[in-house]
Amino acid sequence: MAQATRATKALEQAGIRFELRSYDYDPDADSIGQAAASALGVEPAQVFKTLMVLIDGKPACAIAPSDGEVSMKRVAAALGAKSAAMMRPGDAERFTGYKVGGISPFGQMKRVPVVIDETALLWDAIFINGGQRGLQVHLSGEDAARVLDATIADISAG
């Protein structure tokens, strides 16, 4: 498995400290994030999923714990929009240059507004997709938010 991805290169260029963790990706898993957490031996709430969304029709990114649902209303509010909806998988792949299951918020083709769930700051470090299926980057939530210029907000549906 190639370890250098656009995501890892972007983190290195930004001077962000991170560790790579790989695992056997299961394309048939009910939840990719939960499968990653199980494979890595960590809490599902520590593995964050990258969701590509449309806010008022424009691309954006929401990063949230893999074990919870995301409120589109809260995503829209956090990013100063009226509405938010999930981007179609094919559109997300074309826009980010990553395959579904390997979409990372780092090193995307174009920078977009990003919101990261506030629970990312509760952990010493979190896991976020590293730009390919079966690859996670382990880094601090603060560093992730800073390098992405992300808004930090409660975007959980619960």
Side-chain angles (χ1 to χ4, degrees):
M1 171 186 304
Q3 296 293 295
T5 66
R6 284 193 335 272
T8 60
K9 289 175 187 172
L11 289 170
E12 287 169 357
Q13 287 175 341
I16 300 296
R17 290 184 45 203
F18 66 94
E19 293 177 16
L20 284 177
R21 303 277 179 89
S22 58
Y23 65 96
D24 290 329
Y25 175 80
D26 178 4
D28 298 321
D30 289 336
S31 165
I32 294 167
Q34 300 233 23
S38 177
L40 295 168
V42 299
E43 294 290 326
Q46 192 178 4
V47 177
F48 281 64
K49 55 190 170 188
T50 303
L51 304 175
M52 294 307 297
V53 299
L54 295 170
I55 55 167
D56 294 343
K58 295 186 174 120
C61 182
I63 303 167
S66 64
D67 65 344
E69 297 294 317
V70 172
S71 164
M72 288 297 138
K73 190 177 216 174
R74 288 182 175 183
V75 168
L79 296 175
K82 291 181 179 145
S83 67
M86 287 296 296
M87 190 181 285
R88 291 193 313 250
D91 293 342
E93 288 184 344
R94 281 186 295 281
F95 186 83
T96 64
Y98 294 121
K99 296 279 184 206
V100 168
I103 293 178
S104 178
F106 312 111
Q108 291 189 6
M109 308 278 259
K110 296 178 185 165
R111 285 193 69 100
V112 297
V114 178
V115 60
I116 187 167
D117 191 77
E118 64 189 8
T119 59
L121 304 182
L122 300 177
W123 299 93
D124 290 336
I126 59 172
F127 293 89
I128 300 177
N129 195 286
Q132 70 185 37
R133 294 170 176 165
L135 185 66
Q136 296 280 317
V137 290
H138 188 229
L139 74 170
S140 79
E142 290 90 350
D143 282 348
R146 187 173 66 251
V147 74
L148 295 168
D149 193 24
T151 299
I152 299 168
D154 177 3
I155 58 171
S156 71

